Amino acid sequence: MVGMTVYGSFPGARPRRLRTTPAMRRMVAETRLDPADLILPAFVREGASEPVPIAAMPGVVQHSVDTLRKAAVEAREAGVSGIMLFGVPEDARKDAAGTAGTDPGGILQVAVRAVKEEVGDELVVMSDLCLDEYTDHGHCGVLDADGRVDNDATLERYAEMAQVQADAGVHVVGPSGMMDGQVGVIRDALDTIGKEDVSILAYTAKYSSAFYGPFREAVASSLRGDRKTYQQDPANLRESLRELALDLQEGADMVMVKPAGPCLDVLARVAESVDVPVAAYQISGEYAMIEAAAEKGWIERDKAILETLTGIRRAGARMILTYWATEVAQKLGGARL
Ligand code: PBG
């Protein structure tokens, strides 16, 4: 049939037929979200006896070890598949080399042990592998005599970090520092101590983004300046594919694009280029924008959240790190183990 109007005809196809009812739209949906798609990033603060709110991320806190345990159990019960832990040491523990990050008694290692005790292997326990939370200058690596981030000296620190995190029992390490060679060095360091089963989630394309702003408050960052000499320039896509090839060559088990929303094209390209699982990180600024607009009554919060997550899945992410993980998983209908 041809469609007819007084102004003329059009080919008879009517895509609107498949949008007529909620049941019809549900049936033909190409992308579905499942609790297992979601990973919860969580912060734990040394010395905290109760959770400390993060002003720029309403609803997100710096946990005490106790409340982190509860958050992990809650995430598992909701059907979330993993938790990514970030440590926030006491200020006095920060130093130029970030030694609190490699201290077996450091906050992140304590948190990993606590969460493992609570959830065992039922939740994939992941740790941020980076020095920025632990250095007094706030950079992701150690500095050379001229104050520049020293790539190779940093790799030695990362190797040690990987080993203490693995000893604490983590299933996956997430090196987020964007040093060249980090995946390979970490793989070797893990294998050397018999931790062949600990996986590496490579931050393959991590861009230098303005949307990390609220995270800097979340981890009480000491950084002045920026991370442009090691994180990628948001102008570049081909460079991500180069980073991707290197990470795979070095032994990455999973790869990630970050931030998610501003980099959906990068995510799509990465997803179509690889045969390992692909993750995307919906970062603090993406969270804060929606929460802030919703608070002002300018946007429908829950719908906006689902739309962003659906877009990230559609672009090709198997897993999504999002601060809304537990809430969204609960709304999607709970545990599916
Ligand atoms: C650095 C790190 C950052 C985030 C995760 N790991 C911040 C940065 O690179 O400045 C950001 C996460 C977020 O914004 O939600 N180790």
Side-chain angles (χ1 to χ4, degrees), residues 72-191:
V73 169
E74 212 187 6
R76 185 202 58 201
E77 283 170 358
V80 165
S81 61
I83 188 165
M84 170 69 83
L85 302 173
F86 293 90
V88 185
E90 274 169 12
D91 251 358
R93 299 257 261 143
K94 294 187 182 185
D95 57 26
T99 51
T102 43
D103 177 351
I107 182 61
L108 184 53
Q109 285 67 254
V110 169
V112 168
R113 287 196 180 89
V115 168
K116 279 296 292 287
E117 215 173 87
E118 236 21 87
V119 300
D121 292 337
E122 289 178 13
L123 199 59
V124 180
V125 180
M126 313 183 174
S127 50
D128 183 52
L129 199 169
C130 192
L131 284 171
D132 66 307
E133 293 100 314
Y134 309 98
T135 51
D136 51 12
H137 45 72
H139 276 295
C140 294
V142 293
L143 307 181
D144 66 15
D146 300 322
R148 286 182 302 224
V149 175
D150 184 334
N151 193 88
D152 299 10
T154 299
L155 293 183
E156 290 176 25
R157 302 286 300 123
Y158 286 179
E160 206 184 318
M161 261 189 125
Q163 293 177 337
V164 293
Q165 293 179 355
D167 279 337
V170 85
H171 298 106
V172 177
V173 294
S176 63
M178 290 303 280
M179 295 301 130
D180 294 334
Q182 61 186 12
V183 171
V185 166
I186 289 167
R187 183 71 270 155
D188 279 352
L190 291 169
D191 293 353

Side-chain angles (χ1 to χ4, degrees), residues 13-322:
R14 294 183 183 273
R16 287 186 56 195
R17 284 187 197 114
L18 300 186
R19 302 176 197 143
T20 46
T21 66
M24 182 71 83
R25 293 192 291 273
R26 178 163 169 265
M27 183 177 79
V28 302
E30 296 172 39
T31 309
R32 295 184 207 284
L33 281 174
D34 185 274
D37 300 336
L38 306 175
I39 297 169
L40 177 71
F43 305 105
V44 56
R45 177 168 170 161
E46 188 173 28
S49 49
E50 37 198 82
V52 182
I54 301 164
M57 301 176 74
V60 180
V61 298
Q62 295 174 330
H63 282 289
S64 69
V65 175
D66 260 7
T67 64
L68 177 69
R69 286 172 185 266
K70 293 194 188 103
V73 169
E74 212 187 6
R76 185 202 58 201
E77 283 170 358
V80 165
S81 61
I83 188 165
M84 170 69 83
L85 302 173
F86 293 90
V88 185
E90 274 169 12
D91 251 358
R93 299 257 261 143
K94 294 187 182 185
D95 57 26
T99 51
T102 43
D103 177 351
I107 182 61
L108 184 53
Q109 285 67 254
V110 169
V112 168
R113 287 196 180 89
V115 168
K116 279 296 292 287
E117 215 173 87
E118 236 21 87
V119 300
D121 292 337
E122 289 178 13
L123 199 59
V124 180
V125 180
M126 313 183 174
S127 50
D128 183 52
L129 199 169
C130 192
L131 284 171
D132 66 307
E133 293 100 314
Y134 309 98
T135 51
D136 51 12
H137 45 72
H139 276 295
C140 294
V142 293
L143 307 181
D144 66 15
D146 300 322
R148 286 182 302 224
V149 175
D150 184 334
N151 193 88
D152 299 10
T154 299
L155 293 183
E156 290 176 25
R157 302 286 300 123
Y158 286 179
E160 206 184 318
M161 261 189 125
Q163 293 177 337
V164 293
Q165 293 179 355
D167 279 337
V170 85
H171 298 106
V172 177
V173 294
S176 63
M178 290 303 280
M179 295 301 130
D180 294 334
Q182 61 186 12
V183 171
V185 166
I186 289 167
R187 183 71 270 155
D188 279 352
L190 291 169
D191 293 353
T192 304
I193 59 161
K195 299 288 184 186
E196 294 88 358
D197 283 347
V198 172
S199 311
I200 302 177
L201 168 60
Y203 281 63
T204 288
K206 178 172 178 183
Y207 287 93
S208 178
S209 170
F211 296 105
Y212 298 140
F215 177 92
R216 306 261 164 100
E217 179 198 338
V219 299
S221 171
S222 312
L223 183 71
R224 282 176 300 275
D226 59 50
R227 307 194 196 284
K228 289 190 172 135
T229 69
Y230 40 105
Q231 296 180 346
Q232 276 184 247
D233 181 345
N236 298 351
L237 167 63
R238 292 159 59 84
E239 189 184 12
S240 286
L241 301 176
R242 182 157 189 246
E243 290 277 6
L244 177 64
L246 291 169
D247 281 352
L248 292 173
Q249 201 181 317
E250 290 174 31
D253 299 288
M254 299 171 274
V255 296
M256 181 149 73
V257 173
K258 178 183 180 184
C263 300
L264 293 180
D265 57 330
V266 179
L267 181 56
R269 279 296 290 279
V270 167
E272 74 192 24
S273 318
V274 292
D275 54 9
V276 297
V278 175
Y281 196 142
Q282 182 177 54
I283 62 170
S284 57
E286 299 177 75
Y287 177 92
M289 281 193 295
I290 290 181
E291 291 289 349
E295 200 180 290
K296 284 186 173 285
W298 292 350
I299 200 168
E300 280 189 67
R301 178 184 180 277
D302 294 4
K303 287 184 183 158
I305 292 170
L306 279 183
E307 187 174 327
T308 58
L309 294 172
T310 302
I312 295 165
R313 278 284 284 131
R314 191 189 62 234
R318 169 70 279 169
M319 300 99 80
I320 307 173
L321 282 83
T322 173

